[in-house]
Amino acid sequence: MDKKHKAYLVDPVSELISLVDVEDYKDINDHLLCDIFTTAFRLDCGDVLYVDDMGMLNDAPNKGIFAIPKAYSNPLFGRGLLVGSTPDGGSKDPETELIDFAMMVKWLAIS
Protein backbone atom coordinates (compact mmCIF):
# COMPACT_ATOMS: atom_id res chain seq x y z
CA MET A 1 0.00 0.00 0.00
CA ASP A 2 1.49 3.32 -0.93
CA LYS A 3 -1.39 5.71 -0.26
CA LYS A 4 -4.34 5.97 2.05
CA HIS A 5 -7.41 3.94 1.19
CA LYS A 6 -10.84 3.79 2.74
CA ALA A 7 -11.78 0.73 4.78
CA TYR A 8 -14.75 -0.32 6.91
CA LEU A 9 -14.08 -1.05 10.58
CA VAL A 10 -16.41 -3.49 12.34
CA ASP A 11 -16.51 -2.91 16.11
CA PRO A 12 -18.69 -5.57 17.77
CA VAL A 13 -18.33 -4.01 21.24
CA SER A 14 -20.00 -0.75 20.20
CA GLU A 15 -21.92 -2.51 17.39
CA LEU A 16 -20.81 0.13 14.92
CA ILE A 17 -19.31 0.03 11.45
CA SER A 18 -17.24 3.08 10.58
CA LEU A 19 -15.26 4.45 7.67
CA VAL A 20 -11.51 4.62 8.39
CA ASP A 21 -8.29 5.27 6.47
CA VAL A 22 -5.64 2.58 5.93
CA GLU A 23 -2.19 3.12 4.45
CA ASP A 24 -0.23 0.01 5.44
CA TYR A 25 -0.27 -3.06 7.66
CA LYS A 26 0.46 -0.96 10.75
CA ASP A 27 -2.85 0.84 10.26
CA ILE A 28 -4.61 -2.51 9.98
CA ASN A 29 -2.99 -3.64 13.24
CA ASP A 30 -3.99 -0.38 14.92
CA HIS A 31 -7.61 -0.56 13.77
CA LEU A 32 -7.92 -4.22 14.76
CA LEU A 33 -6.14 -3.64 18.11
CA CYS A 34 -3.86 -6.58 17.45
CA ASP A 35 -0.29 -7.56 16.60
CA ILE A 36 -1.07 -10.23 14.00
CA PHE A 37 -3.99 -10.21 11.57
CA THR A 38 -5.27 -12.70 9.04
CA THR A 39 -7.73 -12.84 6.16
CA ALA A 40 -11.13 -14.14 7.23
CA PHE A 41 -12.58 -14.16 3.71
CA ARG A 42 -12.64 -12.49 0.31
CA LEU A 43 -15.87 -11.29 -1.28
CA ASP A 44 -16.60 -11.93 -4.96
CA CYS A 45 -15.69 -8.31 -5.79
CA GLY A 46 -12.24 -8.81 -4.24
CA ASP A 47 -12.82 -6.97 -0.95
CA VAL A 48 -11.03 -8.68 1.95
CA LEU A 49 -12.04 -8.87 5.62
CA TYR A 50 -9.07 -8.88 7.99
CA VAL A 51 -9.43 -9.99 11.63
CA ASP A 52 -7.19 -10.45 14.66
CA ASP A 53 -5.42 -13.77 14.10
CA MET A 54 -5.59 -14.46 17.83
CA GLY A 55 -9.08 -12.99 18.29
CA MET A 56 -10.65 -16.13 19.69
CA LEU A 57 -7.82 -16.64 22.16
CA ASN A 58 -7.20 -13.08 23.39
CA ASP A 59 -9.96 -12.27 25.89
CA ALA A 60 -12.61 -12.50 23.16
CA PRO A 61 -15.59 -11.77 25.45
CA ASN A 62 -14.23 -8.25 25.95
CA LYS A 63 -13.70 -7.81 22.21
CA GLY A 64 -17.15 -8.86 21.00
CA ILE A 65 -18.31 -11.29 18.36
CA PHE A 66 -19.94 -10.76 14.97
CA ALA A 67 -20.85 -12.79 11.92
CA ILE A 68 -21.23 -12.24 8.20
CA PRO A 69 -23.33 -15.28 7.24
CA LYS A 70 -23.52 -14.32 3.55
CA ALA A 71 -19.73 -14.61 3.24
CA TYR A 72 -18.43 -16.74 6.11
CA SER A 73 -20.18 -19.42 8.16
CA ASN A 74 -18.26 -19.05 11.45
CA PRO A 75 -18.43 -16.30 14.10
CA LEU A 76 -15.60 -13.75 14.10
CA PHE A 77 -14.00 -12.57 17.34
CA GLY A 78 -12.82 -9.02 17.90
CA ARG A 79 -12.81 -6.28 15.30
CA GLY A 80 -12.90 -6.71 11.54
CA LEU A 81 -11.62 -4.49 8.73
CA LEU A 82 -12.94 -4.67 5.16
CA VAL A 83 -10.37 -3.43 2.63
CA GLY A 84 -10.59 -3.45 -1.17
CA SER A 85 -7.96 -5.35 -3.12
CA THR A 86 -6.58 -5.24 -6.64
CA PRO A 87 -5.99 -8.33 -8.82
CA ASP A 88 -2.26 -8.17 -8.06
CA GLY A 89 -2.83 -8.12 -4.27
CA GLY A 90 -2.59 -4.38 -3.67
CA SER A 91 -5.08 -2.44 -1.61
CA LYS A 92 -7.70 0.07 -2.69
CA ASP A 93 -11.04 1.44 -1.51
CA PRO A 94 -13.66 -1.31 -1.04
CA GLU A 95 -15.95 -2.08 -3.97
CA THR A 96 -18.77 -2.92 -1.55
CA GLU A 97 -20.85 0.07 -0.50
CA LEU A 98 -20.72 0.81 3.24
CA ILE A 99 -24.49 0.41 3.68
CA ASP A 100 -24.46 -2.93 1.86
CA PHE A 101 -21.62 -4.19 4.05
CA ALA A 102 -23.38 -2.97 7.20
CA MET A 103 -26.48 -4.94 6.22
CA MET A 104 -24.34 -8.10 5.97
CA VAL A 105 -22.98 -7.84 9.53
CA LYS A 106 -24.84 -9.58 12.37
CA TRP A 107 -23.97 -8.84 16.00
CA LEU A 108 -23.72 -11.89 18.24
CA ALA A 109 -24.32 -11.99 21.97
CA ILE A 110 -21.80 -13.61 24.26
CA SER A 111 -23.44 -16.20 26.48
Side-chain angles (χ1 to χ4, degrees):
M1 289 188 233
D2 54 344
K3 72 174 199 112
K4 291 224 181 245
H5 300 285
K6 301 296 180 195
Y8 307 147
L9 177 64
V10 179
D11 183 349
V13 173
S14 65
E15 295 187 356
L16 292 173
I17 299 169
S18 54
L19 184 64
V20 297
D21 289 322
V22 174
E23 185 171 0
D24 59 22
Y25 74 93
K26 294 175 192 170
D27 291 332
I28 296 172
N29 286 338
D30 290 345
H31 287 304
L32 294 178
L33 305 176
C34 70
D35 294 322
I36 303 169
F37 62 88
T38 190
T39 302
F41 61 80
R42 180 180 302 273
L43 295 174
D44 291 341
C45 64
D47 294 346
V48 175
L49 185 80
Y50 296 114
V51 294
D52 179 353
D53 194 35
M54 303 297 286
M56 197 163 90
L57 304 174
N58 291 334
D59 203 18
N62 293 328
K63 291 186 174 186
I65 303 171
F66 68 100
I68 304 180
K70 178 179 176 181
Y72 190 72
S73 61
N74 294 318
L76 298 160
F77 295 81
R79 291 176 160 201
L81 190 70
L82 189 76
V83 179
S85 75
T86 62
D88 64 351
S91 293
K92 64 177 189 165
D93 293 346
E95 292 289 326
T96 307
E97 294 293 329
L98 179 59
I99 188 70
D100 295 332
F101 179 65
M103 298 298 293
M104 294 168 62
V105 175
K106 306 298 179 206
W107 309 117
L108 302 177
I110 301 170
S111 54

